[in-house]
């Protein structure tokens, strides 16, 4: 029951030697979600042993090259590898035009369907769900339409407490009804509320990806309480004017959002190439939010399943 | 006075782990020419310490992704790095449309000019020249319009032989005329032909790049006598039917072209991912043309200047 993020790249526009542009892969119980797709993402997938055919959903934050130029390569390679199931691509406009142009010039014989979903970058809304997970947009503030993504496991089916079963001598029928959320009516007419009878077997896990963006209070509200927040930190605090001007954040601002949102862990990246080391940015962030780590290329951040067995 | 080719990548469409798609850089006396531009070419340039700003001319063989998906990244990065001089891009159609689409979606503020030159892939013709070098197209046979490129140093200015100067007691005026190609008329009316009086100070060097293509006799004629030939060798000879069907060559066919053209050295690449090692392909080629090497990523093939001082 994995829930883990592998960083394929977190460099800003002018990447340093051996570093790669933005791309993260979220593995939720062996379903893989690609978040941003900078140039060479397909090479990074190979390097970190992630089978591209396992990716059926790609989420692009915005249409700047350092977040999207790996998309044509992935699309073509999936064709070569024999993909036949649809590929969903979520991104702000003009993603439809980008994919249309790509198909016109390069994919006259593509054997699978690309389903393009243009998301409204101004809204916080549910854009994808399956049995176990939901994906929500996070409105960001950048020089062009940009959106973050919040990945959240759904609440698991309720378990009925053992002591309730024993105490009320519950029938199978009653157990099924209680698991579905019903209260229990005793023979004397007394009502036992559902939450007195049940528990959630584990806490749903969550990951939020926010890049590129100026610091935003709305982001802090939306990512409230997530297990892992990736927030861009292009600049150090002494460059906060530059950050605001270019639609980016400082490390301190990223940390303030993590603190305000009471997230469990913050990872930062997308540092300007002027910073030869991430240390000063990490130090700055940790003054505000100690549990900050660098979104180092190749690193996997695992979020363990926390059982709530009672 | 360098003339050297650095291989940034020579993988075929489905690249192996850590290998990169096609891109070669030719350095002619510190002028850099990029030939093909597979995904991650800008990263490979950084890896091998080649300043992208030194590249003013890009030659694309054909518009399959593994030869061209690095172009958008290079174009954007050159903008970030402050390029102001024009960038020439040579390629078969529809390169104009590809660049136009890219500019429409990603380069609203590009600060330098992109000069697109759609080359006729059916013709062997001069498409670029400067003081020291010429570039000619080489018609290739592939599933889409594809062209090779022949890079050839120009003949250097002639030198007048010392013994001619002494023997005929040449005046400065006569020397200038002879250097420009004139014969010498002696006082007794006798004519001494120019080639009796002069020599070329060095042999012009040449490099030919041929990928992707079926084996072609016309290619052998055009690349006749070049110092270095890169020829694709996607398959081994036992797959020659597959090679013909897909518009590719076998290692043996590449070697036969090198032999027929009497080139000095052959380098092969673009091997199908079915070959985990280049050894069988190299062995096959060397049976026909012993001076065959693998176009290994990161390797630089230098062509020394051969002085012809007399």
């Amino acid at each position: 029951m994995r829930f883990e993020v592998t960083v394929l790249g977190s460099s800003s526009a002018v990447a340093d030697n051996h570093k790669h542009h933005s791309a993260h892969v979220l593995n939720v119980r062996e379903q893989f979600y690609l978040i941003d797709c900078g140039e060479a993402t397909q090479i990074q997938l190979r390097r970190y042993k992630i089978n591209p055919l396992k990716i059926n959903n790609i989420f692009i934050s915005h249409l700047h090259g350092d977040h999207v130029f790996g998309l044509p390569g992935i699309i073509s390679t999936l064709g070569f590898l024999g993909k036949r199931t649809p590929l969903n691509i979520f991104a702000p406009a003009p993603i439809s035009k980008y994919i249309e142009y790509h198909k016109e010039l390069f994919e006259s014989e593509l054997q699978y369907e690309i389903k393009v979903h243009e998301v409204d970058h101004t809204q916080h809304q549910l854009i994808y769900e399956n049995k176990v997970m939901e994906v929500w947009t996070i409105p960001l503030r950048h020089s062009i339409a940009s959106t973050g993504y919040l990945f959240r496991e759904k609440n698991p089916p309720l378990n009925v407490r053992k002591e309730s079963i024993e105490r009320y001598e519950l029938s199978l029928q009653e157990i099924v009804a209680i698991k579905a959320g019903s209260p229990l009516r005793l023979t004397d007419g007394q009502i036992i509320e559902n939450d007195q009878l049940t528990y959630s077997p584990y806490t749903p896990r969550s990951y939020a990806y926010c890049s590129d963006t100026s610091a935003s209070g709305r982001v802090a509200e939306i990512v409230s309480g997530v297990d892992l927040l990736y927030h861009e930190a292009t600049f150090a605090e002494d460059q906060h004017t530059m950050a605001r001007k270019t639609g980016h954040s400082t490390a301190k601002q990223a940390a303030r959002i993590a603190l305000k949102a009471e997230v469990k862990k913050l990872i930062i990246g997308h540092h300007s190439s002027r910073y030869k080391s991430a240390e000063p940015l990490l130090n700055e962030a940790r003054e505000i939010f100690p549990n900050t780590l660098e979104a180092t290329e190749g690193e996997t951040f695992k979020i363990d399943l926390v059982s709530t067995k009672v």
Side-chain angles (χ1 to χ4, degrees), chain A residues 280-301:
Chain A
L281 298 157
L282 278 171
N283 291 339
E284 187 174 294
R286 284 172 180 160
E287 280 180 26
I288 309 278
F289 190 83
N291 197 10
T292 304
L293 293 171
E294 176 65 8
T296 308
E297 239 179 78
E299 196 132 333
T300 296
F301 297 89

Side-chain angles (χ1 to χ4, degrees), chain A residues 138-183:
Chain A
I138 306 170
L140 301 180
R141 299 194 320 215
H142 192 47
S143 55
I144 62 167
S146 187
T147 181
Y149 295 100
L150 169 62
F151 300 81
R152 198 185 280 284
E153 276 184 315
K154 287 183 173 176
N155 286 320
L158 296 170
N159 279 1
V160 180
R161 292 171 198 271
K162 265 192 183 170
E163 73 259 23
S164 304
I165 296 174
E166 287 160 7
R167 183 170 169 188
Y168 302 112
E169 295 179 343
L170 298 177
S171 68
L172 195 59
Q173 211 172 7
E174 283 169 327
I175 290 172
V176 169
I178 292 168
K179 275 180 81 79
S182 298

Side-chain angles (χ1 to χ4, degrees), chain A residues 32-299:
Chain A
F32 291 75
Y33 305 87
L34 180 60
I35 310 150
D36 272 347
C37 190
E39 186 171 352
T41 292
Q42 64 167 318
I43 298 165
Q44 293 293 84
L45 285 171
R46 282 200 308 272
R47 178 166 292 146
Y48 298 113
K49 316 282 185 214
I50 299 168
N51 182 351
L53 284 171
K54 289 193 172 170
I55 294 170
N56 294 307
N57 298 284
I58 301 178
F59 300 85
I60 302 291
S61 62
H62 65 298
L63 267 68
H64 275 159
D66 55 327
H67 295 253
V68 78
F69 282 166
L71 204 46
I74 295 265
I75 291 171
S76 289
T77 293
L78 287 174
F80 276 115
L81 295 177
K83 183 172 178 61
R84 292 291 179 274
T85 56
L87 175 69
N88 289 301
I89 299 176
F90 300 83
I95 186 68
S96 299
K97 198 175 262 190
Y98 184 46
I99 300 301
E100 185 189 303
Y101 285 170
H102 169 73
K103 285 168 72 178
E104 176 193 332
L105 294 180
F106 295 103
E107 306 292 356
S108 55
E109 294 170 13
L110 200 66
Q111 297 292 308
Y112 67 91
E113 185 189 1
I114 301 176
K115 292 185 176 174
V116 179
H117 309 265
E118 277 196 354
V119 303
D120 182 348
H121 72 287
T122 67
Q123 301 297 316
H124 169 49
Q125 54 194 15
L126 180 70
I127 53 164
Y128 174 85
E129 65 177 320
N130 56 28
K131 278 186 186 169
V132 300
M133 201 189 57
E134 295 177 342
V135 186
W136 295 75
T137 47
I138 306 170
L140 301 180
R141 299 194 320 215
H142 192 47
S143 55
I144 62 167
S146 187
T147 181
Y149 295 100
L150 169 62
F151 300 81
R152 198 185 280 284
E153 276 184 315
K154 287 183 173 176
N155 286 320
L158 296 170
N159 279 1
V160 180
R161 292 171 198 271
K162 265 192 183 170
E163 73 259 23
S164 304
I165 296 174
E166 287 160 7
R167 183 170 169 188
Y168 302 112
E169 295 179 343
L170 298 177
S171 68
L172 195 59
Q173 211 172 7
E174 283 169 327
I175 290 172
V176 169
I178 292 168
K179 275 180 81 79
S182 298
L184 177 68
R185 179 184 291 267
L186 300 183
T187 46
D188 65 357
Q190 193 192 339
I191 302 289
I192 313 292
E193 295 302 333
N194 184 276
D195 61 1
Q196 299 296 309
L197 303 163
T198 59
Y199 68 98
S200 178
Y202 58 86
T203 310
R205 295 164 289 183
S206 51
Y207 168 60
Y209 176 95
C210 300
S211 183
D212 296 355
T213 187
S214 292
S216 151
R218 194 170 173 199
V219 166
E221 284 168 28
I222 294 170
V223 304
S224 174
V226 299
D227 292 298
L228 183 65
L229 168 64
Y230 170 72
H231 198 288
E232 71 127 288
T234 308
F235 296 103
E237 190 59 22
D238 61 356
Q239 294 290 320
H240 72 271
T241 311
M242 173 68 101
R244 195 173 55 234
K245 202 175 131 192
T246 56
H248 288 296
S249 304
T250 68
K252 202 167 219 167
Q253 288 170 334
R256 281 205 199 100
I257 286 168
L259 184 72
K260 190 176 169 197
E262 295 181 354
V263 308
K264 307 280 194 313
K265 185 182 282 182
L266 169 66
I267 54 176
I268 59 172
H270 202 271
H271 310 316
S272 160
S273 61
R274 74 184 65 193
Y275 304 107
K276 298 307 168 205
S277 150
E279 277 310 300
L281 298 157
L282 278 171
N283 291 339
E284 187 174 294
R286 284 172 180 160
E287 280 180 26
I288 309 278
F289 190 83
N291 197 10
T292 304
L293 293 171
E294 176 65 8
T296 308
E297 239 179 78
E299 196 132 333

